[in-house]
Amino acid sequence: MKENKRFAQCLFYSLFVVSLLWCLKSAEILFHLDLGWWGVRPHELSGLIGVITAPLVHGSLEHLFNNTLPLIIMGTVLAFGYPKAFWRVLLFIWLVSGSGVWLFAREANHIGASGIAHGLFFFILVASIFRRDKSSVAIMMIVFLLYGGMTLTILPSEEHISFEYHFFGAVAGFIAALIWRNRDPKPEIKPYAWELKSEDDPVIGDDWQVEEDSQSHSQQDNQAQSIDIKYH
C-alpha cells in the first residue's frame, strides 16, 4: 500500500508539471504571445536564456503532444525508482542538454522538452545496465518497450527537428547515469523459503547426522569382512 501511494504521488507530480506546459502553450495561443525568444539560439548571448526556458516552449500543439506522454511516463518511473537521484538527474539533463545545444548546434531556434525526455530515457537505460537489480531492469524494460525508438532519434532525420537537443539530452542522461546510478540503494533480495537453512528438530537435534569418521570406519569394517574369491 505504501508503494502504491508513493507511485501515485510521483504520477501526480509529473501530471502537474506537464499540465503547466499545456497551460503555457494555451496562454500563448489565446493571448497571441510569441515565446519563441525563450529558445536556445547557439552562439548568441541573448540565446543563453534558452538553456533554462527552451524546454518550456513548444512550436505547436502537436509538438507538445508528442512530448507529453514520454515526460509523464518517464518522469513518473524515474521519480519512483530513483527518488534520491531524481532532482539531480533532472537538473543536470536540463542544463547540460541546453548548454550542449548552445555550444555546438546549428544556427536555429531550438525549443521543446524532447531533449529532457531523451535524457531521462538514456539515464534509465544506462543505469539499469550498470545496476542490474530487479527494480531498475523492470523500469528499463517498460520504458524501452514504449520509447526504444529514441535510440535512433538522436541522429539527424528531419530538418525542422532539433536532433541536437535529442543528442545532447542523451549524452547528459548517459553521464548522469554514470554519476548517480548508485545514489539510490538497491532493493533487498528476499530469499525464497527453500533457500533458507532448515533448523534442527528440537527433539532429535543433530543426532540424525552421520559423521564422516563413523562412515569411514563402517566402510573399513565391511572391507575387512569381505571375502576375496580367487579363481585358479
Side-chain angles (χ1 to χ4, degrees), residues 78-108:
L78 183 64
F80 179 78
Y82 303 90
K84 292 184 178 180
F86 174 74
W87 289 110
R88 289 176 173 82
V89 171
L90 180 61
L91 183 61
F92 184 83
I93 292 172
W94 193 304
L95 296 179
V96 171
S97 61
S99 299
V101 170
W102 189 83
L103 288 171
F104 302 108
R106 57 193 157 155
E107 299 298 330

Side-chain angles (χ1 to χ4, degrees), residues 136-174:
S136 61
V137 171
I139 291 173
M140 182 273 293
M141 291 180 66
I142 295 172
V143 170
F144 193 85
L145 180 64
L146 295 173
Y147 302 109
M150 285 187 175
T151 56
L152 300 177
T153 54
I154 61 175
L155 302 175
S157 56
E158 299 181 31
E159 185 177 359
H160 67 281
I161 294 178
S162 177
F163 78 92
E164 295 96 332
Y165 234 138
H166 299 174
F167 176 79
F168 287 109
V171 170
F174 181 88

Side-chain angles (χ1 to χ4, degrees), residues 89-229:
V89 171
L90 180 61
L91 183 61
F92 184 83
I93 292 172
W94 193 304
L95 296 179
V96 171
S97 61
S99 299
V101 170
W102 189 83
L103 288 171
F104 302 108
R106 57 193 157 155
E107 299 298 330
N109 192 38
H110 301 263
I111 57 176
S114 54
I116 293 178
H118 280 71
L120 298 180
F121 172 82
F122 275 86
F123 174 87
I124 293 170
L125 177 64
V126 176
S128 67
I129 294 174
F130 283 98
R131 287 170 60 95
R132 290 183 292 182
D133 60 279
K134 292 181 179 179
S135 177
S136 61
V137 171
I139 291 173
M140 182 273 293
M141 291 180 66
I142 295 172
V143 170
F144 193 85
L145 180 64
L146 295 173
Y147 302 109
M150 285 187 175
T151 56
L152 300 177
T153 54
I154 61 175
L155 302 175
S157 56
E158 299 181 31
E159 185 177 359
H160 67 281
I161 294 178
S162 177
F163 78 92
E164 295 96 332
Y165 234 138
H166 299 174
F167 176 79
F168 287 109
V171 170
F174 181 88
I175 297 173
L178 296 180
I179 299 173
W180 292 298
R181 66 183 185 275
N182 292 321
R183 183 165 183 81
D184 291 273
K186 296 181 180 180
E188 296 181 2
I189 301 177
K190 297 182 180 180
Y192 294 99
W194 56 267
E195 294 179 312
L196 299 174
K197 184 179 180 180
S198 59
E199 298 181 355
D200 295 331
D201 188 275
V203 177
I204 300 177
D206 59 354
D207 292 341
W208 59 274
Q209 298 180 356
V210 180
E211 297 181 357
E212 293 182 358
D213 293 340
S214 62
Q215 288 181 345
S216 61
H217 287 316
S218 62
Q219 291 175 357
Q220 291 176 359
D221 293 341
N222 292 334
Q223 291 176 358
Q225 293 176 2
S226 64
I227 301 174
D228 294 334
I229 299 176

